[in-house]
Amino acid sequence: DAEKNTFLHHVMARAEFCDETQQKQRVVPIVELLIKHGVSVNAENIRGHVSLHTAAYLDAKPLIDCLRKQGAHDAALDNNGFGVLDFFLQGWKSRQLLTADMQTMRALLKDGANPNGACDRNGFPLHHAVQELDGNKALLLLQYDADPDAQAAGGKRPLHY
């Protein structure tokens, strides 16, 4: 694709919608198959992201373990100099937005949490704010560029709630 993502990059992105059991049962075998058939575990896209960066961002332990066993480089840095730990921390901040109170949400966003960076079965942080009828949280998220058209599992957008 235009971002020079490999199939492995795409599989990692889809893993966001899988719980740990599904990652072990469904995603790990696909990762192993792709690598067995020549997809490089350390292939970079145009931003220098490798699959281990995405797995770390998602805190996807089965995938992190699988990629490491397949030879993924823990020291890989993207084009901005961010490594695996940086991606994990950014993902953690973004996941905290799903359940944060207003004060914590504001602090996380000021500290760089991505309002579109984490999704659970109920959607992205903006979905949660709308479901809770919390206009202040929704406004804050939109001020930090939350995507009002982001689709959660099942294709639902924030305004579907």
Side-chain angles (χ1 to χ4, degrees):
D1 66 13
E3 295 279 317
K4 297 194 177 181
N5 289 310
T6 66
F7 284 120
L8 195 53
H9 286 100
H10 290 287
V11 169
M12 290 296 118
R14 298 295 304 154
E16 177 176 8
F17 301 103
C18 299
D19 63 26
E20 195 167 308
T21 300
Q22 292 171 323
Q23 290 172 5
K24 286 178 188 174
Q25 294 175 350
R26 298 176 69 199
V27 182
V28 166
I30 294 171
V31 169
E32 290 171 339
L33 183 68
L34 288 171
I35 293 169
K36 179 181 176 183
H37 287 276
V39 174
S40 172
V41 71
N42 293 303
E44 297 179 4
N45 66 15
I46 61 171
R47 293 168 300 187
H49 293 180
V50 296
S51 295
L52 186 57
H53 290 151
T54 304
Y57 182 89
L58 298 173
D59 192 21
K61 292 170 187 65
L63 301 178
I64 293 168
D65 292 343
C66 174
L67 291 168
R68 284 179 168 159
K69 286 177 187 172
Q70 298 292 331
H73 299 292
D74 282 334
L77 300 177
D78 74 357
N79 296 345
N80 294 315
F82 294 118
V84 173
L85 181 59
D86 299 303
F87 278 88
F88 169 78
L89 291 173
Q90 182 62 33
W92 179 85
K93 287 182 210 173
S94 296
R95 285 187 297 280
Q96 298 312 301
L97 290 175
L98 294 170
T99 57
D101 60 45
M102 189 67 176
Q103 183 178 355
T104 303
M105 182 177 282
R106 183 175 281 110
L108 287 165
L109 289 165
K110 282 183 180 178
D111 196 37
N114 181 351
N116 304 306
C119 186
D120 64 13
R121 296 197 184 281
N122 294 319
F124 293 91
L126 185 58
H127 290 81
H128 285 262
V130 172
Q131 289 171 34
E132 296 166 11
L133 299 175
D134 191 332
N136 290 327
K137 279 186 183 178
L139 179 60
L140 179 64
L141 288 162
L142 289 166
Q143 288 170 339
Y144 279 87
D145 297 324
D147 183 357
D149 291 320
Q151 289 187 0
K156 288 190 174 182
R157 291 184 168 86
L159 291 178
H160 284 120
Y161 298 98

